[in-house]
Amino acid sequence: MPSALMISAFQEQLNTAFDVMNISCSLTLEQVAIHAQTEKHESFSLFFDGPTAPFLPQQTYVLRHATLGELEIFLVPVGRTPGGFQYEAVFNHVF
């Protein structure tokens, strides 16, 4: 599995921007919520804050990050924030 998709890689990028490719907006990684983490399993959610517009419907997006490069991530809108919308991406890896 690419190390870019592991908990530790995302924890190092908290409060940094992920540009949504082909859409002029960026999302900020606000939280990494760990559901389970063992030697053989990682389950976690990423929570991103995005702007009011554009609204991103549930689907897979290509996100570009200065350190992690390009990643295909399935995003789900989960709520509103004072500045826009919050999105969640869920990962479940078995090694």
Side-chain angles (χ1 to χ4, degrees), residues 35-69:
H35 306 300
Q37 186 176 26
T38 68
E39 290 180 17
K40 296 183 179 187
H41 177 242
E42 282 191 349
S43 177
F44 61 98
S45 291
L46 305 177
F47 290 93
F48 295 92
D49 281 348
T52 302
F55 171 76
L56 304 177
Q58 174 177 306
Q59 68 181 42
T60 300
Y61 294 90
V62 177
L63 304 182
R64 180 180 291 158
H65 185 268
T67 302
L68 300 178

Side-chain angles (χ1 to χ4, degrees), residues 56-59 61 73-79 86-90:
L56 304 177
Q58 174 177 306
Q59 68 181 42
Y61 294 90
I73 297 181
F74 187 78
L75 295 175
V76 177
V78 293
Q86 184 178 60
Y87 300 92
E88 181 180 14
V90 178

Side-chain angles (χ1 to χ4, degrees), residues 7 14 22 24 27 29 34 37 51 53 55 57 63 66-67 72 74 76 81:
I7 292 170
L14 283 170
N22 301 318
S24 67
L27 306 175
L29 179 58
I34 300 172
Q37 186 176 26
F55 171 76
L63 304 182
T67 302
E72 287 188 30
F74 187 78
V76 177
T81 65

